Amino acid sequence: MPKLHLQSRDILWGALVCALALLPLIPGLIGNSFRAHVIILVLLYASMAQSWNIVSGYAGQTSFGHSVFFGIGAYGAGMAVVTYGLTPWPGFLAGSVMAALVAVLISWPCFRLSGHYFAIATFAIVEIFNRLFMVWDWVGGALGLDYPILPDGWVNFVWSETKVGFFYGALALFVLIFGIVRYIETHRLGYYLRAVREGQETAESLGVNSTAVKLAAMAFSAFLAALCGGFFVQYNYRVDPPMVMSLDVSMRFVLITILGGVGNFWGPLLGAMILIPLQEYSRAYLTILGSGVDLVIFGLIIMLMMIKQPKGIMGFIEAWQARSRERAAAKEGV
Amino acid sequence: MDTFAQVVLDGLLTGMLYALVAAGLSLIWGVMDIIHFAHGEFLMVAMYLSFWLGFLAGVDPIVSWIASGVFLFLLGALAYRLVISRCIGKSAMPPLLATFGLSLFLKNLCMNRFSPNFRILQDTLLQGKTFMIGGVVVGLPQLATGIFSLVMLGALFYLIKKTRLGWAIQATAMDREAAELMGIHTDRIYLLVFGLGGACVGIAGGLMTSYLAVHPEVGSLFGLIAFLIVALGGFGSIHGALAAALIIGLVEALAGFYIAPVFKYVAVFAIYLVVVMVRPRGLFGW
């Protein structure tokens, strides 16, 4: 039997998931409301950011190309439903496997590049995919894929009456991805990833195959990002290339994680809990000021955060913990 | 043959314009080692300034590039003072994300104020003027912008390589602490480099409005292509940026004509990937 590393934060984690699972029982909280929409998006974006965190946070390979994997997942589900008239489930699997394959194929040569050259290469890959999908008739071209009207339920993974189904779908995705990352973090692969991040040469001298470790992280990360893409297309009933494969979508993965705390288990959730409600509510309530105001505010917040605390919200929390430890030590007169 | 010459000429003229846009980025990148995400949006701001000067005050882009160059110098310096100087340090991510925030801010502010509509200046001095050499049509605004770009690049090259200020900039790029110990105010050098980078796109953007439409998204593609050019040429190398810009312009024109218009940017991004696989530090990188 594999050894379980139960810690107090795992119990906290279990309690959080249980509390979230019971949320729909509170009348009027989920239903078909805007609030439900925001909660679902928080869970979805936290999951997306966590999938990015595997390769960019734990393994230190900053990727701006994750919208490619997200998009492949979205197209997997979209094409299963629209092009082939199936349920989305085989599409989720096919899209995720395909995304992992594509990730390994394009990362293998790119991992030779360092620093900014790697980052620019990932931008270039996003643009190539975006433009190819725009003209590729088999995947619907620039018009994208529009869902037909389907009966509600888990078989088709669509719900039009209420958002409770989507809420549980998002929660399942969230638990799956955070669970996998928690498992990786406390097991061999997680230690390898952090070793490669802290010093590739040192890790290699101790017998870690750094290329294999980075490729494994990329494949896991792409697989999970593609699952999120599949959920995203089901939730929006349509997909086209700019929605899922663009630099802006890639930056979502990056921003949420960095604002929460990169390379940290809770970072993606914290980032999503703050950014997504802010963005959705400012979009809904500031329309009187004209279009784009939400993104103007978003831009300002990113700048302020980078000036004040580049480590993100986890940075604030760590600074606060360090201060309270110091105070406790001072009280004891040490 | 004439068609081929025409396509090559168009590619080279586009490349010269790209070179001026990329030169500013190359300078910032080479000296400060940060990815400046808002570079394309600076270009858009310059184009809007030049457009409104032309539309409201009747100033032709032939003249208004001076105003947009000066304005963007100030904007660059202001952005450095208020944002960039407060987050440069050990890690590459904070300045990158801060400039991304700046780009979102500028793009959406212009979207909000000026609407997403395409706007183009009518009846500028150079607009629509062409002449023939052999069987090749040369557009006067493109030619003027191209030549002007080369002149500005020459001036920038002279500034970096031959003046005391340029030596100070190079010293700062090599080792900030050592330069500081030699009595160079590196903070002021950074401020100046950011301003100069802004002035380069300011001038490019000012000139471009005589034949290109301005809209809030115009900077995104130019900014991305500027990244490719700088990385392709090698960081901080101005002649590398020029060579890379001409290559990118040529690839774009040839692929657009001989393969299909939709594939021109696919070819541009693919050529970058191919080159960095062979030379992981760009054409002229060290």
Side-chain angles (χ1 to χ4, degrees), chain B residues 9 37 44 63 77 134 202 241 245 257:
Chain B
L9 178 80
F37 248 108
M44 172 207 66
V63 184
F257 189 81

Side-chain angles (χ1 to χ4, degrees), chain B residues 45-57:
Chain B
V45 170
M47 288 183 77
Y48 267 112
L49 186 80
S50 166
F51 172 81
W52 288 118
L53 277 176
F55 187 74
L56 298 175

Side-chain angles (χ1 to χ4, degrees), chain B residues 238-248 283-284:
Chain B
I238 288 173
H239 55 282
L242 177 61
L246 293 178
I247 291 172
I248 295 281
L283 290 174
F284 294 84

Side-chain angles (χ1 to χ4, degrees), chain A residues 112 116-117 127 289 291, chain B residues 29 108 112 224 235 277 281:
Chain A
R112 287 174 50 216
H116 294 327
Y117 290 94
E127 288 297 314
L289 298 174
S291 63
Chain B
W29 207 332
N108 289 287
N112 185 268
L224 208 56
F235 298 122
M277 289 309 146
R281 297 214 160 263

Side-chain angles (χ1 to χ4, degrees), chain B:
Chain B
M1 195 59 215
D2 278 355
T3 334
F4 181 72
Q6 180 77 58
V7 173
V8 167
L9 178 80
D10 286 347
L12 288 176
L13 289 176
T14 315
M16 288 179 203
L17 175 65
Y18 285 163
L20 186 56
V21 178
L25 191 66
S26 178
L27 189 63
I28 292 173
W29 207 332
V31 175
M32 302 171 63
D33 196 32
I34 65 170
I35 295 189
H36 179 28
F37 248 108
H39 199 67
E41 276 60 39
F42 277 20
L43 183 78
M44 172 207 66
V45 170
M47 288 183 77
Y48 267 112
L49 186 80
S50 166
F51 172 81
W52 288 118
L53 277 176
F55 187 74
L56 298 175
V59 184
D60 197 87
I62 286 194
V63 184
S64 62
W65 63 265
I66 303 172
S68 53
V70 171
F71 183 76
L72 266 289
F73 182 92
L74 296 175
L75 186 66
L78 187 73
Y80 174 74
R81 185 52 73 222
L82 289 182
V83 182
I84 315 298
S85 66
R86 292 163 198 251
C87 54
I88 43 177
K90 282 178 197 140
S91 164
M93 279 313 263
L96 184 154
L97 290 183
T99 52
F100 181 76
L102 183 63
S103 85
L104 271 184
F105 176 77
L106 289 174
K107 192 194 302 181
N108 289 287
L109 198 64
C110 288
M111 179 93 84
N112 185 268
R113 295 289 91 197
F114 305 141
S115 84
N117 295 340
F118 281 55
R119 297 163 193 270
I120 188 152
L121 271 182
Q122 301 295 332
D123 305 321
T124 59
L125 273 178
L126 295 176
Q127 196 172 47
K129 300 232 176 20
T130 57
F131 61 91
M132 303 278 285
I133 302 176
V136 179
V137 186
V138 185
L140 199 55
Q142 285 87 345
L143 183 70
T145 310
I147 291 173
F148 200 88
S149 298
L150 288 185
V151 172
M152 291 308 299
L153 279 178
L156 192 63
F157 195 75
Y158 178 83
L159 175 80
I160 303 291
K161 295 285 176 195
K162 300 284 177 204
T163 62
R164 286 180 66 83
L165 176 65
W167 298 341
I169 291 175
Q170 287 188 49
T172 311
M174 285 171 192
D175 189 332
R176 187 179 182 179
E177 276 180 30
E180 189 87 35
L181 290 173
M182 297 300 126
I184 297 169
H185 290 283
T186 55
D187 190 51
R188 262 186 241 164
I189 294 284
Y190 277 6
L191 182 80
L192 191 76
V193 162
F194 235 81
L196 279 177
C200 284
V201 274
I203 294 166
L207 289 167
M208 279 157 70
T209 31
S210 64
Y211 63 102
L212 285 175
V214 50
H215 56 102
E217 293 284 341
V218 70
S220 306
L221 183 64
F222 275 102
L224 208 56
I225 287 180
F227 282 137
L228 291 196
I229 289 171
V230 174
L232 194 58
F235 298 122
S237 158
I238 288 173
H239 55 282
L242 177 61
L246 293 178
I247 291 172
I248 295 281
L250 272 180
V251 167
E252 183 187 317
L254 290 172
F257 189 81
Y258 288 105
I259 304 175
V262 289
F263 281 111
K264 60 182 185 181
Y265 295 115
V266 173
V268 164
F269 294 117
I271 204 89
Y272 166 76
L273 290 178
V274 171
V275 171
V276 291
M277 289 309 146
V278 182
R279 282 189 65 86
R281 297 214 160 263
L283 290 174
F284 294 84
W286 54 88

